[in-house]
Coordinates of all heavy atoms in Angstrom, one line a residue:
E124 N 0.8 -1.2 0.0 CA 0.0 0.0 0.0 C 0.9 1.2 0.0 O 1.9 1.3 0.7 CB -0.9 0.0 1.2 CG -1.9 1.1 1.3 CD -2.8 1.0 2.4 OE1 -3.2 -0.2 2.8 OE2 -3.2 2.0 3.0
S125 N 0.6 2.2 -0.8 CA 1.4 3.4 -1.0 C 0.7 4.6 -0.3 O -0.6 4.7 -0.4 CB 1.6 3.7 -2.5 OG 2.2 4.9 -2.6
H126 N 1.4 5.4 0.4 CA 0.9 6.6 1.1 C 1.6 7.8 0.5 O 2.9 7.8 0.5 CB 1.0 6.5 2.6 CG 0.3 5.3 3.2 ND1 -1.0 5.3 3.4 CD2 0.7 4.1 3.5 CE1 -1.4 4.2 3.9 NE2 -0.3 3.4 4.0
G127 N 0.9 8.8 0.2 CA 1.5 10.0 -0.3 C 1.7 10.9 0.9 O 1.4 10.6 2.1
F128 N 2.3 12.1 0.7 CA 2.5 13.1 1.7 C 2.2 14.4 1.1 O 2.2 14.6 -0.1 CB 3.9 13.1 2.3 CG 5.0 13.5 1.4 CD1 5.4 14.8 1.3 CD2 5.6 12.6 0.6 CE1 6.3 15.2 0.5 CE2 6.6 13.0 -0.3 CZ 7.0 14.3 -0.3
C129 N 1.9 15.4 2.0 CA 1.6 16.7 1.5 C 2.6 17.7 2.2 O 2.8 17.6 3.4 CB 0.2 17.0 1.9 SG -0.4 18.6 1.4
Q130 N 3.1 18.6 1.4 CA 4.0 19.6 1.9 C 3.4 21.0 1.5 O 3.3 21.3 0.4 CB 5.4 19.4 1.2 CG 6.4 20.4 1.6 CD 7.7 20.3 0.8 OE1 7.6 20.3 -0.5 NE2 8.8 20.2 1.4
L131 N 3.0 21.7 2.6 CA 2.5 23.0 2.4 C 3.5 24.0 2.9 O 3.8 24.1 4.0 CB 1.2 23.1 3.2 CG 0.1 22.2 2.8 CD1 -1.1 22.3 3.7 CD2 -0.4 22.4 1.3
L132 N 3.9 24.9 2.0 CA 4.9 25.9 2.3 C 4.2 27.3 2.1 O 4.0 27.7 1.0 CB 6.1 25.8 1.4 CG 6.8 24.5 1.4 CD1 8.0 24.5 0.4 CD2 7.4 24.2 2.8
S133 N 4.0 28.0 3.1 CA 3.4 29.3 3.0 C 4.6 30.3 2.9 O 5.7 30.0 3.3 CB 2.6 29.7 4.2 OG 3.4 29.8 5.4
R134 N 4.3 31.5 2.4 CA 5.3 32.5 2.3 C 5.8 32.9 3.7 O 7.0 33.2 3.9 CB 4.7 33.8 1.6 CG 4.5 33.5 0.1 CD 4.0 34.8 -0.6 NE 3.5 34.5 -1.9 CZ 4.3 34.4 -3.0 NH1 5.6 34.5 -2.9 NH2 3.7 34.1 -4.1
E135 N 4.9 32.9 4.7 CA 5.3 33.3 6.0 C 6.2 32.2 6.6 O 7.2 32.6 7.3 CB 4.0 33.4 6.9 CG 3.1 34.6 6.6 CD 2.2 34.3 5.4 OE1 2.1 33.1 4.9 OE2 1.5 35.2 4.9
M136 N 5.9 31.0 6.4 CA 6.8 29.9 6.9 C 8.2 30.0 6.3 O 9.2 29.9 6.9 CB 6.2 28.5 6.6 CG 7.0 27.4 7.1 SD 8.2 26.9 5.9 CE 8.3 25.2 6.2
V137 N 8.2 30.2 5.0 CA 9.5 30.3 4.3 C 10.3 31.5 4.8 O 11.5 31.4 5.0 CB 9.3 30.3 2.7 CG1 10.6 30.6 2.0 CG2 8.7 29.0 2.2
A138 N 9.7 32.6 4.9 CA 10.3 33.8 5.4 C 10.9 33.6 6.8 O 12.0 34.0 7.2 CB 9.4 35.0 5.3
S139 N 10.1 33.0 7.7 CA 10.5 32.7 9.1 C 11.6 31.7 9.1 O 12.6 32.0 9.9 CB 9.3 32.2 9.9 OG 8.3 33.2 10.1
L140 N 11.6 30.7 8.4 CA 12.7 29.7 8.3 C 13.9 30.3 7.8 O 15.0 30.1 8.2 CB 12.3 28.5 7.5 CG 13.3 27.4 7.4 CD1 13.7 26.9 8.8 CD2 12.7 26.2 6.6
G141 N 13.7 31.2 6.7 CA 14.9 31.9 6.1 C 15.6 32.8 7.2 O 16.8 32.8 7.2
S142 N 14.8 33.5 8.0 CA 15.4 34.3 9.0 C 16.1 33.5 10.1 O 17.2 33.9 10.5 CB 14.3 35.2 9.7 OG 13.7 36.1 8.8
L143 N 15.5 32.4 10.5 CA 16.2 31.5 11.4 C 17.5 31.0 10.9 O 18.6 31.0 11.5 CB 15.3 30.4 11.9 CG 15.9 29.3 12.7 CD1 16.4 29.9 14.1 CD2 15.0 28.1 12.9
L144 N 17.5 30.5 9.6 CA 18.7 30.0 9.0 C 19.8 31.0 8.9 O 21.0 30.8 9.0 CB 18.3 29.4 7.6 CG 17.5 28.1 7.7 CD1 17.1 27.7 6.3 CD2 18.3 27.0 8.4
H145 N 19.3 32.3 8.6 CA 20.3 33.4 8.5 C 21.0 33.6 9.8 O 22.2 33.9 9.9 CB 19.6 34.6 8.0 CG 20.5 35.8 7.9 ND1 21.6 35.9 7.0 CD2 20.6 37.0 8.7 CE1 22.2 37.1 7.3 NE2 21.6 37.7 8.3
Q146 N 20.2 33.6 10.9 CA 20.7 33.8 12.2 C 21.8 32.7 12.5 O 22.8 32.9 13.1 CB 19.7 33.7 13.3 CG 18.8 34.9 13.3 CD 17.6 34.8 14.3 OE1 17.5 33.8 15.1 NE2 16.7 35.7 14.3
L147 N 21.5 31.4 12.1 CA 22.4 30.3 12.4 C 23.6 30.4 11.5 O 24.7 30.1 11.9 CB 21.7 29.0 12.2 CG 20.5 28.7 13.2 CD1 19.7 27.5 12.7 CD2 21.1 28.5 14.6
A148 N 23.4 30.7 10.2 CA 24.5 30.7 9.3 C 25.4 32.0 9.3 O 26.6 32.0 9.0 CB 24.0 30.5 7.8
G149 N 24.8 33.1 9.7 CA 25.5 34.4 9.7 C 25.6 34.9 8.3 O 25.3 34.3 7.3
P150 N 26.0 36.2 8.2 CA 26.2 36.8 6.9 C 27.1 36.0 6.0 O 28.2 35.7 6.4 CB 26.7 38.2 7.2 CG 26.4 38.4 8.7 CD 26.4 37.1 9.3
G151 N 26.7 35.7 4.8 CA 27.6 35.0 3.9 C 27.7 33.5 4.1 O 28.3 32.8 3.3
G152 N 27.1 33.0 5.2 CA 27.2 31.6 5.4 C 26.3 30.8 4.5 O 25.3 31.3 3.9
S153 N 26.6 29.5 4.3 CA 25.8 28.7 3.4 C 24.9 27.7 4.2 O 25.2 27.4 5.3 CB 26.7 27.9 2.4 OG 27.6 27.0 3.2
V154 N 23.8 27.3 3.5 CA 22.9 26.4 4.1 C 22.7 25.2 3.2 O 22.5 25.4 2.0 CB 21.5 27.1 4.3 CG1 20.5 26.1 4.8 CG2 21.6 28.3 5.2
L155 N 22.9 24.0 3.7 CA 22.8 22.8 3.0 C 21.5 22.0 3.4 O 21.4 21.7 4.6 CB 24.0 21.9 3.2 CG 24.0 20.6 2.5 CD1 24.1 20.7 1.0 CD2 25.2 19.7 3.1
E156 N 20.6 21.8 2.5 CA 19.4 21.0 2.8 C 19.8 19.6 2.3 O 20.0 19.3 1.1 CB 18.2 21.5 2.1 CG 17.0 20.7 2.4 CD 15.7 21.0 1.6 OE1 15.7 21.8 0.7 OE2 14.7 20.4 2.0
V157 N 19.8 18.7 3.3 CA 20.1 17.2 3.0 C 18.8 16.5 2.9 O 17.9 16.7 3.7 CB 21.0 16.7 4.1 CG1 21.2 15.2 3.9 CG2 22.3 17.4 4.2
G158 N 18.7 15.6 2.0 CA 17.4 14.9 1.8 C 16.3 15.8 1.2 O 15.2 15.8 1.7
A159 N 16.7 16.6 0.3 CA 15.8 17.7 -0.2 C 14.7 17.2 -1.1 O 13.9 18.0 -1.5 CB 16.7 18.7 -1.0
G160 N 14.7 15.9 -1.5 CA 13.7 15.4 -2.3 C 13.7 16.1 -3.7 O 14.7 16.1 -4.4
N161 N 12.6 16.7 -4.1 CA 12.6 17.4 -5.4 C 13.1 18.9 -5.3 O 13.1 19.6 -6.3 CB 11.2 17.4 -5.9 CG 10.2 18.2 -5.1 OD1 10.5 18.9 -4.2 ND2 8.9 18.0 -5.4
G162 N 13.6 19.3 -4.1 CA 14.2 20.6 -4.0 C 13.2 21.8 -3.8 O 13.6 22.9 -3.9
R163 N 12.0 21.5 -3.6 CA 11.0 22.5 -3.5 C 11.2 23.5 -2.3 O 11.2 24.7 -2.5 CB 9.6 21.8 -3.3 CG 8.4 22.7 -3.3 CD 7.2 21.9 -3.4 NE 6.0 22.8 -3.5 CZ 5.1 23.0 -2.6 NH1 5.2 22.4 -1.4 NH2 4.1 23.8 -2.8
L164 N 11.6 23.0 -1.1 CA 11.8 23.9 0.0 C 13.0 24.8 -0.3 O 13.0 26.0 -0.1 CB 12.1 23.1 1.3 CG 12.5 24.0 2.5 CD1 11.4 25.0 2.8 CD2 12.7 23.1 3.7
A165 N 14.1 24.3 -0.8 CA 15.3 25.1 -1.1 C 15.0 26.1 -2.2 O 15.4 27.3 -2.1 CB 16.4 24.2 -1.6
H166 N 14.2 25.7 -3.2 CA 13.8 26.7 -4.2 C 13.1 27.9 -3.6 O 13.5 29.1 -3.8 CB 12.8 26.1 -5.2 CG 12.1 27.1 -6.0 ND1 12.7 27.8 -7.0 CD2 10.8 27.6 -6.0 CE1 11.9 28.7 -7.5 NE2 10.7 28.5 -6.9
F167 N 12.1 27.7 -2.7 CA 11.4 28.8 -2.1 C 12.2 29.5 -1.1 O 12.1 30.8 -1.0 CB 10.0 28.3 -1.5 CG 9.0 27.9 -2.6 CD1 8.7 26.6 -2.8 CD2 8.5 28.9 -3.4 CE1 7.7 26.3 -3.8 CE2 7.6 28.6 -4.4 CZ 7.2 27.3 -4.6
L168 N 13.1 28.9 -0.4 CA 14.0 29.6 0.5 C 14.9 30.5 -0.3 O 15.2 31.6 0.0 CB 14.8 28.6 1.3 CG 14.1 28.0 2.5 CD1 15.0 26.9 3.1 CD2 13.9 29.1 3.6
N169 N 15.4 30.0 -1.5 CA 16.3 30.8 -2.3 C 15.6 32.0 -2.9 O 16.1 33.1 -3.2 CB 17.0 30.0 -3.4 CG 18.1 29.2 -2.8 OD1 18.9 29.7 -2.0 ND2 18.3 28.0 -3.3
R170 N 14.3 31.8 -3.2 CA 13.5 32.9 -3.8 C 12.9 33.8 -2.8 O 12.9 35.1 -3.0 CB 12.4 32.3 -4.7 CG 11.7 33.3 -5.6 CD 10.6 32.7 -6.3 NE 9.4 32.6 -5.4 CZ 8.2 32.2 -5.7 NH1 8.0 31.7 -6.9 NH2 7.3 32.2 -4.8
D171 N 12.3 33.3 -1.7 CA 11.6 34.1 -0.8 C 12.1 34.1 0.6 O 11.4 34.5 1.6 CB 10.1 33.7 -0.8 CG 9.4 33.7 -2.1 OD1 9.8 34.7 -2.9 OD2 8.6 32.8 -2.5
G172 N 13.3 33.6 0.9 CA 13.8 33.4 2.2 C 14.4 34.6 2.9 O 15.2 34.4 3.8
G173 N 14.2 35.8 2.3 CA 14.8 36.9 3.0 C 16.3 36.9 2.9 O 16.9 36.7 1.9
P174 N 16.9 37.1 4.1 CA 18.4 37.3 4.1 C 19.2 36.0 3.7 O 20.3 36.1 3.4 CB 18.7 37.7 5.5 CG 17.5 37.2 6.3 CD 16.3 37.3 5.4
V175 N 18.5 34.9 3.7 CA 19.2 33.6 3.3 C 19.0 33.3 1.8 O 19.5 32.4 1.3 CB 18.7 32.4 4.2 CG1 17.4 31.9 3.8 CG2 19.8 31.3 4.2
A176 N 18.2 34.1 1.1 CA 17.8 33.8 -0.3 C 19.1 33.7 -1.1 O 20.0 34.5 -1.0 CB 16.9 34.9 -0.8
G177 N 19.1 32.7 -1.9 CA 20.3 32.5 -2.8 C 21.4 31.7 -2.2 O 22.4 31.5 -2.8
R178 N 21.3 31.3 -0.9 CA 22.4 30.6 -0.2 C 22.1 29.2 0.2 O 22.8 28.6 1.0 CB 22.8 31.4 1.0 CG 23.4 32.8 0.6 CD 24.0 33.5 1.8 NE 23.0 33.9 2.7 CZ 23.2 34.0 4.0 NH1 24.3 33.7 4.6 NH2 22.2 34.4 4.9
V179 N 21.0 28.7 -0.3 CA 20.5 27.3 0.1 C 20.9 26.3 -1.0 O 20.5 26.5 -2.2 CB 19.0 27.3 0.4 CG1 18.6 25.9 0.9 CG2 18.7 28.3 1.5
I180 N 21.6 25.3 -0.7 CA 22.0 24.2 -1.6 C 21.2 23.0 -1.3 O 21.2 22.5 -0.2 CB 23.5 23.9 -1.5 CG1 24.3 25.2 -1.7 CG2 23.9 22.8 -2.4 CD1 25.7 25.1 -1.1
A181 N 20.5 22.5 -2.3 CA 19.6 21.3 -2.1 C 20.4 20.0 -2.6 O 20.9 20.0 -3.7 CB 18.3 21.4 -2.9
T182 N 20.4 19.0 -1.8 CA 21.0 17.7 -2.1 C 20.1 16.6 -1.7 O 19.4 16.7 -0.7 CB 22.4 17.5 -1.5 OG1 22.3 17.4 -0.1 CG2 23.3 18.7 -1.8
D183 N 20.2 15.5 -2.4 CA 19.4 14.3 -2.1 C 20.1 13.1 -2.7 O 20.4 13.1 -3.9 CB 18.0 14.4 -2.6 CG 17.1 13.3 -1.9 OD1 17.3 12.1 -2.2 OD2 16.2 13.7 -1.2
A184 N 20.4 12.1 -1.9 CA 21.0 10.9 -2.5 C 20.2 10.2 -3.6 O 20.8 9.6 -4.5 CB 21.3 9.9 -1.3
L185 N 18.9 10.4 -3.6 CA 18.1 9.8 -4.6 C 17.5 10.8 -5.6 O 16.4 10.6 -6.1 CB 16.9 9.0 -3.9 CG 17.4 7.9 -3.0 CD1 16.2 7.3 -2.3 CD2 18.2 6.9 -3.7
A186 N 18.1 11.9 -5.7 CA 17.6 13.0 -6.6 C 17.4 12.5 -8.0 O 18.2 11.7 -8.5 CB 18.6 14.2 -6.6
G187 N 16.4 12.9 -8.6 CA 16.1 12.5 -9.9 C 15.3 13.5 -10.7 O 15.9 14.2 -11.5
R188 N 14.1 13.7 -10.3 CA 13.3 14.7 -11.0 C 13.1 15.9 -10.1 O 12.8 15.9 -8.9 CB 11.9 14.1 -11.2 CG 11.1 14.9 -12.2 CD 9.8 14.3 -12.5 NE 8.9 14.5 -11.3 CZ 7.6 14.1 -11.3 NH1 7.1 13.5 -12.3 NH2 6.9 14.4 -10.2
G189 N 13.4 17.1 -10.7 CA 13.3 18.3 -9.9 C 11.9 18.8 -9.8 O 11.0 18.2 -10.4
F190 N 11.7 19.8 -9.0 CA 10.4 20.4 -8.8 C 10.1 21.2 -10.0 O 10.9 22.0 -10.5 CB 10.5 21.3 -7.5 CG 9.3 22.2 -7.3 CD1 8.0 21.6 -7.2 CD2 9.4 23.5 -7.3 CE1 6.9 22.4 -7.0 CE2 8.3 24.3 -7.1 CZ 7.1 23.8 -6.9
I191 N 8.9 21.0 -10.6 CA 8.5 21.7 -11.8 C 7.3 22.6 -11.5 O 6.3 22.2 -10.9 CB 8.0 20.7 -12.9 CG1 9.2 19.7 -13.2 CG2 7.6 21.4 -14.1 CD1 8.9 18.6 -14.1
G192 N 7.5 23.8 -11.9 CA 6.4 24.8 -11.8 C 6.4 25.6 -10.5 O 6.8 25.1 -9.4
S193 N 6.0 26.8 -10.5 CA 6.0 27.7 -9.3 C 4.9 28.7 -9.6 O 5.2 29.7 -10.3 CB 7.3 28.3 -9.1 OG 7.2 29.3 -8.1
F194 N 3.7 28.5 -9.1 CA 2.7 29.5 -9.3 C 2.5 29.8 -10.7 O 2.5 31.0 -11.1 CB 2.9 30.7 -8.4 CG 3.0 30.4 -7.0 CD1 4.2 30.5 -6.3 CD2 1.9 30.0 -6.2 CE1 4.3 30.2 -4.9 CE2 2.0 29.7 -4.9 CZ 3.2 29.8 -4.2
G195 N 2.4 28.8 -11.6 CA 2.2 29.0 -13.0 C 3.4 28.9 -13.9 O 3.3 28.9 -15.1
D196 N 4.6 28.9 -13.3 CA 5.8 28.8 -14.1 C 6.0 27.3 -14.4 O 6.2 26.5 -13.5 CB 7.0 29.3 -13.3 CG 8.3 29.2 -14.0 OD1 8.3 28.8 -15.2 OD2 9.4 29.5 -13.4
A197 N 6.1 27.0 -15.7 CA 6.1 25.6 -16.1 C 7.6 25.1 -16.3 O 7.8 23.9 -16.7 CB 5.3 25.4 -17.4
S198 N 8.6 25.9 -16.0 CA 9.9 25.4 -16.2 C 10.5 24.7 -15.0 O 9.9 24.9 -13.9 CB 10.8 26.6 -16.6 OG 10.8 27.5 -15.5
V199 N 11.5 23.9 -15.2 CA 12.1 23.2 -14.0 C 12.8 24.3 -13.2 O 13.7 25.0 -13.8 CB 13.1 22.1 -14.5 CG1 13.8 21.6 -13.3 CG2 12.3 21.0 -15.2
I200 N 12.5 24.4 -12.0 CA 13.1 25.5 -11.2 C 14.0 25.0 -10.1 O 14.6 25.8 -9.4 CB 12.0 26.4 -10.6 CG1 11.0 25.6 -9.8 CG2 11.3 27.2 -11.8 CD1 9.9 26.4 -9.2
A201 N 14.0 23.7 -9.8 CA 14.8 23.2 -8.7 C 15.3 21.8 -9.1 O 14.5 21.0 -9.5 CB 14.1 23.2 -7.4
Q202 N 16.6 21.6 -9.0 CA 17.1 20.3 -9.3 C 18.2 20.0 -8.3 O 19.3 20.5 -8.4 CB 17.7 20.2 -10.7 CG 18.3 18.9 -11.1 CD 17.2 17.8 -11.2 OE1 16.2 18.0 -11.9 NE2 17.3 16.7 -10.4
P203 N 17.9 19.2 -7.2 CA 18.8 19.0 -6.2 C 20.1 18.2 -6.8 O 19.9 17.4 -7.7 CB 18.1 18.1 -5.2 CG 16.7 18.3 -5.5 CD 16.6 18.6 -6.9
Q204 N 21.2 18.4 -6.2 CA 22.4 17.7 -6.5 C 22.3 16.3 -6.0 O 21.9 16.1 -4.8 CB 23.6 18.4 -6.0 CG 23.8 19.8 -6.5 CD 25.0 20.5 -5.9 OE1 25.8 19.9 -5.2 NE2 25.0 21.8 -6.0
Q205 N 22.6 15.3 -6.7 CA 22.6 13.9 -6.3 C 23.8 13.6 -5.5 O 24.8 13.2 -6.1 CB 22.3 12.9 -7.4 CG 22.1 11.5 -6.9 CD 21.6 10.6 -8.0 OE1 21.5 11.0 -9.2 NE2 21.3 9.4 -7.7
L206 N 23.7 13.8 -4.2 CA 24.9 13.5 -3.3 C 24.4 12.9 -2.0 O 23.3 13.3 -1.5 CB 25.6 14.8 -3.0 CG 26.3 15.6 -4.1 CD1 26.7 17.0 -3.6 CD2 27.4 14.9 -4.6
S207 N 25.1 12.0 -1.4 CA 24.8 11.5 -0.1 C 25.1 12.6 0.9 O 25.7 13.6 0.6 CB 25.6 10.2 0.2 OG 27.0 10.6 0.4
H208 N 24.6 12.4 2.1 CA 24.9 13.4 3.2 C 26.4 13.6 3.3 O 26.8 14.8 3.3 CB 24.3 12.9 4.5 CG 24.7 13.8 5.7 ND1 25.9 13.5 6.4 CD2 24.2 14.9 6.2 CE1 26.0 14.4 7.3 NE2 25.0 15.3 7.2
D209 N 27.2 12.6 3.4 CA 28.6 12.7 3.6 C 29.3 13.5 2.4 O 30.1 14.3 2.5 CB 29.3 11.4 3.8 CG 28.9 10.8 5.1 OD1 28.5 11.5 6.0 OD2 29.0 9.5 5.2
E210 N 28.8 13.1 1.2 CA 29.4 13.7 0.0 C 29.0 15.2 -0.1 O 29.8 16.1 -0.4 CB 28.8 13.0 -1.3 CG 29.3 11.6 -1.5 CD 28.6 10.9 -2.6 OE1 27.4 11.2 -2.8 OE2 29.2 10.1 -3.3
A211 N 27.7 15.5 0.3 CA 27.3 16.9 0.3 C 28.0 17.8 1.2 O 28.5 18.9 0.9 CB 25.8 16.9 0.6
V212 N 28.3 17.3 2.4 CA 29.0 18.0 3.4 C 30.4 18.2 3.0 O 31.0 19.3 3.1 CB 28.9 17.3 4.8 CG1 29.9 18.0 5.8 CG2 27.5 17.4 5.4
A213 N 31.1 17.2 2.5 CA 32.5 17.3 2.0 C 32.6 18.2 0.8 O 33.5 19.0 0.7 CB 33.0 15.9 1.7
T214 N 31.6 18.2 -0.1 CA 31.7 19.0 -1.3 C 31.4 20.5 -1.0 O 32.1 21.4 -1.5 CB 30.6 18.6 -2.3 OG1 30.9 17.2 -2.6 CG2 30.6 19.4 -3.5
H215 N 30.4 20.8 -0.1 CA 30.0 22.2 0.1 C 30.4 22.8 1.4 O 30.4 24.0 1.6 CB 28.5 22.2 0.0 CG 28.0 21.9 -1.3 ND1 28.1 22.7 -2.4 CD2 27.3 20.8 -1.8 CE1 27.6 22.1 -3.5 NE2 27.1 21.0 -3.1
A216 N 30.9 22.0 2.4 CA 31.4 22.5 3.7 C 30.4 23.6 4.2 O 30.8 24.8 4.4 CB 32.8 23.1 3.6
P217 N 29.1 23.3 4.4 CA 28.1 24.3 4.8 C 28.3 24.8 6.2 O 28.8 24.2 7.0 CB 26.8 23.6 4.6 CG 27.2 22.2 5.0 CD 28.5 22.0 4.4
T218 N 27.8 26.0 6.4 CA 27.8 26.6 7.7 C 26.7 26.0 8.5 O 26.8 25.7 9.7 CB 27.5 28.1 7.6 OG1 28.4 28.7 6.7 CG2 27.7 28.8 9.0
V219 N 25.5 25.7 7.9 CA 24.4 25.1 8.5 C 23.9 23.9 7.7 O 23.8 24.0 6.5 CB 23.2 26.1 8.7 CG1 22.0 25.4 9.3 CG2 23.7 27.3 9.6
R220 N 23.6 22.8 8.3 CA 23.0 21.7 7.6 C 21.5 21.5 8.1 O 21.2 21.7 9.3 CB 23.7 20.4 8.0 CG 25.1 20.3 7.6 CD 25.7 19.1 8.0 NE 27.0 19.4 8.6 CZ 27.8 18.5 9.2 NH1 27.4 17.3 9.4 NH2 29.0 18.9 9.7
V221 N 20.6 21.3 7.1 CA 19.2 21.2 7.4 C 18.7 19.9 6.9 O 18.9 19.5 5.8 CB 18.4 22.3 6.7 CG1 16.9 22.2 7.0 CG2 18.9 23.7 7.2
L222 N 18.0 19.2 7.8 CA 17.2 18.0 7.4 C 15.8 18.2 7.9 O 15.6 18.3 9.1 CB 17.8 16.7 8.0 CG 17.0 15.4 7.8 CD1 16.9 15.1 6.3 CD2 17.6 14.3 8.5
V223 N 14.9 18.3 6.9 CA 13.5 18.6 7.3 C 12.7 17.3 7.2 O 12.5 16.9 6.1 CB 12.9 19.7 6.4 CG1 11.4 20.0 6.8 CG2 13.7 21.0 6.5
P224 N 12.3 16.8 8.3 CA 11.4 15.5 8.2 C 10.0 15.9 7.7 O 9.5 16.9 8.1 CB 11.4 15.0 9.6 CG 11.7 16.2 10.5 CD 12.5 17.2 9.7
Y225 N 9.5 15.0 6.9 CA 8.2 15.3 6.3 C 7.2 14.3 7.0 O 7.4 13.2 7.2 CB 8.1 15.1 4.8 CG 8.9 16.2 4.1 CD1 10.2 15.9 3.6 CD2 8.4 17.5 4.1 CE1 10.9 16.9 3.0 CE2 9.2 18.5 3.5 CZ 10.4 18.2 2.9 OH 11.1 19.2 2.3

């Protein structure tokens, strides 16, 4: 039996998480999302995450298909790098690592 999941990301949640990540990473610090799935959260953090925008790197060991579409945009807008946790940390040496359980 297969069960799906639902991920609801509001602008307020993304902005609040972006502010928290900025506090943790500091100015110029990088944020690594491990297990990013299709990269949707990283995409919205990079676009709408306030001071952390543009500094979130999405990785997933099983990355395959990126997140497609964003409020009517039909282009592929997020494609996580296919890296294991250890590979991602070694490659990017992030200031902050994020794993968001769904």
Side-chain angles (χ1 to χ4, degrees):
E124 184 174 327
S125 176
H126 299 280
F128 67 91
C129 182
Q130 179 187 51
L131 299 174
L132 302 175
S133 69
R134 291 185 193 276
E135 294 81 8
M136 180 274 213
V137 170
S139 293
L140 181 56
S142 293
L143 174 63
L144 291 172
H145 176 69
Q146 289 175 6
L147 294 171
S153 61
V154 177
L155 177 68
E156 183 187 4
V157 177
N161 63 12
R163 187 169 185 251
L164 176 60
H166 163 74
F167 287 111
L168 282 168
N169 280 322
R170 192 185 79 181
D171 301 324
V175 78
R178 297 189 289 149
V179 181
I180 303 160
T182 65
D183 194 295
L185 302 176
R188 191 176 78 174
F190 171 58
I191 300 173
S193 170
F194 302 109
D196 179 6
S198 61
V199 174
I200 55 176
Q202 183 65 54
Q204 298 174 18
Q205 188 168 2
L206 297 169
S207 71
H208 171 268
D209 292 336
E210 292 170 327
V212 171
T214 300
H215 296 290
T218 310
V219 176
R220 296 176 226 174
V221 176
L222 174 63
V223 179
Y225 294 106

